[in-house]
Amino acid sequence: MAIVVNKPLPEFEANATGGIKVSNTSHNGQILILYFYPKDNTPGCTTEAMQFRDKYKDFIKAGATVFGVSRDNMKSHDDFKEKLELPFELIADTEEKMCHMFGVVKNKIMYGKKVKGIERSTFLVGPDGTLVQEWRGLKVPGHVDEVLKAVKAIKAQDKKVA
């Protein structure tokens, strides 16, 4: 089942570093950020992870939880997390279930060959489990600031409603 902006996330469950299970309902009441990236320890993915790391306290302050998602296994994630001192957990989607559900598996051309890869994408889920915003095929520079701005806008909206 595909995900659609302004609709609840379909059911899913995944394992993350730190022994955490993440599902479509595990973070209800919080703003959830799922950022999909191609591979641990590659230049763009390292830069993106470090930018989320550097803004992590701002995300927490705004009421958001961050998870990185890739097809790497748990060992690779644990090493990547430790090396970069990431304060958030990484989801190991080795069977590509989440990647397919979120529609981030794309055909890419790498060194002249067609390969299936992860399109760098971020999904912002509101406290009620509804997909609020998505960024697909994004470029790393400035992206984390854009996501933080969107989170703060949700937080400001919640304050007005309360």
Side-chain angles (χ1 to χ4, degrees), residues 50-68:
M50 290 189 313
Q51 288 178 2
F52 271 111
R53 175 197 69 198
D54 295 346
K55 297 279 184 189
Y56 185 71
K57 285 183 177 139
D58 296 328
F59 280 107
I60 293 298
K61 197 169 145 189
T65 304
V66 176
F67 285 96

Side-chain angles (χ1 to χ4, degrees), residues 1 6-7 18-19 25 63 71 116-117 122 132 146-147 152 158:
M1 186 164 154
N6 297 325
K7 298 276 187 215
T25 57
R71 301 180 297 182
K116 281 206 181 296
T122 300
V132 176
E146 205 177 308
V147 176
K152 287 178 176 175
D158 284 353

Side-chain angles (χ1 to χ4, degrees), residues 8 17-18 20 22 37-38 49 57 60 73 89 101 117 147 150:
T17 51
I20 292 175
V22 182
Y37 63 97
K57 285 183 177 139
I60 293 298
N73 63 32
E89 304 302 335
M101 184 179 113
V147 176

Side-chain angles (χ1 to χ4, degrees), residues 43-108:
C45 299
T46 298
T47 299
E48 185 177 27
M50 290 189 313
Q51 288 178 2
F52 271 111
R53 175 197 69 198
D54 295 346
K55 297 279 184 189
Y56 185 71
K57 285 183 177 139
D58 296 328
F59 280 107
I60 293 298
K61 197 169 145 189
T65 304
V66 176
F67 285 96
V69 186
S70 81
R71 301 180 297 182
D72 295 299
N73 63 32
M74 210 56 86
K75 166 97 176 87
S76 174
H77 275 349
D78 283 334
D79 293 346
F80 188 53
K81 188 175 183 271
E82 187 180 331
K83 179 178 160 188
L84 297 180
E85 298 178 5
L86 301 178
F88 52 87
E89 304 302 335
L90 302 173
I91 295 172
D93 190 29
T94 54
E95 294 174 12
E96 297 182 1
K97 287 180 183 170
M98 284 181 72
C99 291
H100 283 291
M101 184 179 113
F102 282 85
V104 299
V105 177
K106 302 287 180 198
N107 287 324
K108 296 177 166 185

Side-chain angles (χ1 to χ4, degrees), residues 29-31 62-63 126-128 151-162:
Q30 294 177 305
I31 297 167
D128 62 352
V151 168
K152 287 178 176 175
I154 292 171
K155 195 71 175 167
Q157 196 67 35
D158 284 353
K159 281 182 182 165
K160 283 181 192 167
V161 174

